[in-house]
Amino acid sequence: MNHLKADPLPPVTLDDVRGARKMLAGVARVTAMEGSRHLTQLVGAPVHFKCENLQRTGSFKLRGAYVRIAGLLPEERAAGVVAASAGNHAQGVALASSLLGVRSTVFMPKGAPLPKISATRDYGAEVRLHGQVVDETLAAAEEYARETGAVFIHPFDHPDVIAGQGTVGLEILEQCPEVRTIVVGIGGGGLAAGIAVAVKALRPDVRIVGVQAAGAAAYPPSLSAGRPVALAGPVTMADGIRVGRPGDVPFTLVSELVDEVRTVTEDDLATALLLCLERAKLVVEPAGASPVAALLSDPGAFEGPVVAVLSGGNVDPVLLQRVLRHGMAAQGRYLAVRLRLTDRPGALATLLGVLSAADANVLDVGHVRTDPRLGLTEAEVDLHLETKGPAHCAEVGQALREAGYRVID
């Protein structure tokens, strides 16, 4: 990414985070801390969720955006602000600007989910759609800033933004003073850096673990190189942490204060999102579920009590539907099977009766009678079933075989 050139920025301190908290009083919610019985049993120690998915605008981003914009000089406010984002930062900037009486323009990719575009407009921003990926959108926003004098509000690479995000850390220490490990998703690094600044200054014994999606994990190679390293084409469903290059300011703080950065797979993310929805009754976007994914993938690696930061809940309904299906498949709760049966009246009804007796829920049926591979009296059936897990899948397969069906796949 080509960022606007600026003078070297000062480091972020605990006093900065405390100042940000005063600024955010009455603006950002002190979000709830909820226990997770399922993860507590799995980890063998108390696990709590810090529910930033319930924050105003649906994510932590309001905190940093408001602190950054509130700190502008009068002449800078008069020039307006501009940002680039696929969703959460866009909404944070839009609402913060409206609350502060500042004109905002937000560039979003042309493929951004419609609910996020609509919400950003509803919060008061002028939305301009540009480019197919965030890097193109970012370049357009920076060009707009140069042409108009509007102040570019970076989503993570500024001390004021990091200080605002760090207020999450102060709340965690107050709500769960016995915490031993904090697990937080990392994209550009602003949230993890801010939390680490606040927590390590007050409780250096608390372990901070960052989590990245394996297909967008820029921090591990960057930490190895000792400098931010750009990825070529990061790919993950977790758009909130799909960042190709760590920010310069957060990278310095993460490298100094974050104890470990882990990666999780797409299957891990889907399973974690499903768990949040089913067990905690919380709608969480894939990026927000990344700490839960880390806990699920290696529960013995975390000393408790553990706080997992659910950073956002702005998930596109279409993506949510896909992710839930993927998460259920990853848990073995979908079964796809192909079999052949004698093509006679009532044969399909008999097959469905066997599945009903096995307590399998039929989601889709494909019935093929005309195919060169089939015998004169044969039909082929493709079934998509919802089951209760891997053991139940095996039971369903056994029931079909015992009923005399020839299972092909």
Side-chain angles (χ1 to χ4, degrees):
M1 297 181 187
N2 296 316
H3 301 305
L4 293 174
K5 300 299 182 182
D7 294 333
L9 295 168
V12 184
T13 67
L14 176 60
D15 285 343
D16 294 326
V17 179
R18 284 173 167 162
R21 186 172 194 183
K22 291 179 181 178
M23 196 176 293
L24 288 167
V27 175
R29 294 174 182 150
V30 177
T31 51
M33 183 82 72
E34 299 286 346
S36 171
R37 182 179 302 175
H38 179 77
L39 286 176
T40 293
Q41 293 175 343
L42 193 65
V43 172
V47 176
H48 306 279
F49 293 151
K50 176 59 172 168
C51 299
E52 282 297 290
N53 59 310
L54 303 179
Q55 183 58 261
R56 295 179 71 180
T57 73
S59 88
F60 71 97
K61 289 288 190 177
L62 171 65
R63 298 175 184 260
Y66 187 90
V67 173
R68 173 76 173 100
I69 298 168
L72 296 178
L73 298 172
E75 58 270 25
E76 292 175 319
R77 291 196 189 194
V81 300
V82 60
S85 168
N88 288 348
H89 181 59
Q91 293 173 66
V93 168
L95 178 57
S97 299
S98 294
L99 293 173
L100 292 164
V102 176
R103 185 179 70 258
S104 63
T105 303
V106 176
F107 285 77
M108 303 181 75
K110 292 179 180 178
L114 292 178
K116 293 186 177 182
I117 294 173
S118 177
T120 303
R121 286 184 172 134
D122 288 345
Y123 285 127
E126 177 190 347
V127 174
R128 299 192 180 192
L129 302 180
H130 183 93
Q132 300 300 324
V133 296
V134 174
D135 282 353
E136 296 173 356
T137 307
L138 180 62
E142 291 179 330
E143 179 62 25
Y144 178 90
R146 284 188 288 268
E147 291 176 351
T148 66
V151 179
F152 179 68
I153 307 299
H154 199 283
F156 49 81
D157 205 9
H158 193 281
D160 290 348
V161 172
I162 294 170
Q165 321 304 27
T167 59
V168 175
L170 295 180
E171 292 176 17
I172 289 173
L173 293 182
E174 293 172 357
Q175 293 171 311
C176 185
E178 67 277 15
V179 63
R180 298 292 301 168
T181 306
I182 297 173
V183 191
V184 55
I186 295 185
L191 177 61
I195 289 175
V197 166
V199 171
K200 289 293 188 178
L202 296 168
R203 287 279 308 281
D205 59 301
V206 174
R207 184 171 180 80
I208 311 290
V209 179
V211 184
Q212 291 208 287
Y219 263 91
S222 297
L223 292 169
S224 296
R227 58 180 175 78
V229 174
L231 293 180
V235 177
T236 175
M237 73 174 82
D239 59 343
I241 54 175
R242 190 172 58 223
V243 177
R245 181 187 183 278
D248 294 328
V249 181
F251 175 79
T252 300
L253 296 167
V254 168
S255 62
E256 292 176 357
L257 301 174
V258 172
D259 297 284
E260 179 186 6
V261 176
R262 290 174 164 253
T263 61
V264 293
T265 67
E266 298 298 283
D267 281 352
D268 293 334
L269 290 168
T271 301
L273 189 151
L274 185 59
L275 181 141
C276 289
L277 188 61
E278 286 191 324
R279 297 297 184 95
K281 308 301 183 283
L282 292 169
V283 176
V284 181
E285 61 190 271
S290 59
V292 179
L295 292 171
L296 289 172
S297 64
D298 192 5
F302 302 89
E303 181 184 0
V306 178
V307 173
V309 181
L310 307 183
S311 57
N314 290 320
V315 58
D316 179 34
V318 175
L319 175 62
L320 179 61
Q321 186 179 40
R322 287 170 44 208
V323 171
L324 290 179
R325 284 200 304 264
H326 189 78
M328 292 180 71
Q331 289 187 345
R333 290 165 59 181
Y334 280 143
L335 175 63
V337 62
R338 177 179 298 169
L339 50 82
R340 288 183 185 175
L341 45 74
T342 302
D343 188 14
R344 63 173 186 270
L348 182 58
T350 302
L351 169 61
L352 295 178
V354 172
L355 294 171
S356 176
D359 205 20
N361 183 30
V362 179
L363 300 176
D364 191 32
V365 178
H367 197 194
V368 178
R369 286 190 175 90
T370 56
D371 190 295
R373 297 176 295 111
L374 298 175
L376 183 62
T377 60
E378 285 185 320
E380 192 168 273
V381 178
D382 285 318
L383 295 163
H384 293 267
L385 310 172
E386 181 184 358
T387 69
K388 300 173 184 177
H392 190 209
C393 286
E395 292 172 8
V396 172
Q398 182 64 26
L400 289 170
R401 286 187 289 271
E402 289 178 353
Y405 292 103
R406 182 155 59 100
V407 179
I408 302 171
D409 290 324

